[in-house]
């Protein structure tokens, strides 16, 4: 805007001199000098504009490269964070689903007969994990009956939890485990339901952070002597 005003002022002065029929030699000389200066200024002005436009293009290119690099770094960071999250998911091993009969004296014995079973005991090891931070970990256990239906009774502590893909799943029981980084830990959970256990194959799945970390099964036979 400053350059534009300077040019307009010079043009106005030149026009004023040239329109004056009685202009003196000194005024005409001034007009010639202003015209030369105007031409020089305009050329310099144009060069400056062209240079700035070029710099603008370069800066825009550098900006786009920087944005791409930022987006790339962000993508890598997100990928690494996801890998760390996945790496911190615990893994269950040595999974056992044991039908338990509780005798009148309170002694517990394992049974293979459906009508003898008073509860299901799930035991497993949370393997050592050097990425998972020390702290409370919420573990969900989902037991499926022989007919494919989930063993879940809200009044007995069952409920729903969210899987890593955003869907919900019924769980039979859950437990908060105080986990220590890099240490294996044995976990035991009991399920006592308000109905009889049916004969057939029972499946158990164990979940942490929405991921299935282990599974097992047991077969209950029909009645008979223990």
């Amino acid at each position: 805007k400053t350059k534009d005003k300077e040019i307009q002022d010079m043009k106005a002065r030149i026009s004023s001199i040239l329109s004056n029929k009685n202009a003196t030699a000194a005024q005409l000389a001034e007009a010639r000098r202003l015209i030369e200066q105007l031409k020089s200024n305009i050329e310099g002005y144009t060069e400056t504009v062209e240079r700035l436009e070029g710099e603008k293009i370069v800066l825009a290119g550098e900006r786009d490269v920087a944005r791409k690099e930022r987006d790339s770094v962000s993508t890598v960071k997100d990928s690494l964070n996801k890998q760390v999250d996945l790496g911190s998911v615990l893994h269950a091993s040595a999974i056992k689903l044991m039908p338990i009969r509780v005798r009148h004296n309170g002694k517990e014995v394992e049974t293979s007969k459906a009508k003898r079973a008073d509860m299901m005991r799930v035991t497993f090891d949370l393997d050592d994990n050097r990425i998972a931070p020390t702290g409370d970990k919420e573990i969900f256990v989902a037991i499926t009956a022989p007919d494919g239906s989930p063993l879940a009774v809200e009044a007995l502590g069952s409920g729903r939890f969210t899987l890593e893909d955003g869907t919900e799943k019924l769980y039979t029981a859950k437990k908060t485990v105080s986990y220590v980084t890099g240490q294996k830990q044995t976990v035991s959970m009991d399920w006592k339901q308000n109905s009889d256990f049916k004969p057939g194959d029972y499946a158990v799945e164990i979940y942490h952070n929405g991921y299935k970390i282990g599974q097992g099964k047991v077969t209950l036979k029909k009645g008979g002597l223990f």
Side-chain angles (χ1 to χ4, degrees), residues 169-187:
K169 182 178 178 65
L170 285 169
Y171 67 83
T172 306
K174 68 177 180 178
K175 187 171 186 176
T176 301
V177 178
S178 296
Y179 184 79
V180 179
T181 301
Q183 293 186 12
K184 178 183 287 189
Q185 187 168 343
T186 300
V187 180

Side-chain angles (χ1 to χ4, degrees), residues 64-88:
D64 292 342
V65 170
R67 283 177 176 174
K68 289 180 180 178
E69 290 178 349
R70 180 197 63 196
D71 293 342
S72 176
V73 170
S74 179
T75 300
V76 172
K77 183 179 178 181
D78 290 342
S79 176
L80 289 174
N81 286 337
K82 187 172 183 180
Q83 290 181 36
V84 171
D85 289 341
L86 288 173
S88 65

Side-chain angles (χ1 to χ4, degrees), residues 95-155:
I95 302 163
K96 294 180 181 179
L97 180 59
M98 299 178 292
I100 301 292
R101 177 193 177 195
V102 182
R103 291 179 173 172
H104 295 299
N105 60 4
K107 184 178 180 180
E108 297 178 353
V109 293
E110 189 173 354
T111 181
S112 61
K113 304 296 191 296
K115 75 173 187 177
R116 297 278 187 176
D118 296 308
M119 65 180 179
M120 288 282 191
R121 175 165 294 158
V122 182
T123 62
F124 54 91
D125 290 334
L126 290 177
D127 297 336
D128 58 294
N129 186 315
R130 298 184 182 277
I131 297 178
T134 295
D136 291 342
K137 312 297 180 186
E138 199 165 45
I139 308 298
F140 295 91
V141 167
I143 302 175
T144 303
D147 63 0
S149 62
L151 296 186
V153 181
E154 187 175 354

Side-chain angles (χ1 to χ4, degrees), residues 6-18:
E6 290 178 358
I7 290 174
Q8 293 303 322
D9 289 346
M10 291 176 68
K11 285 182 177 180
R13 177 57 181 162
I14 293 169
S15 179
S16 174
I17 294 174
L18 296 179

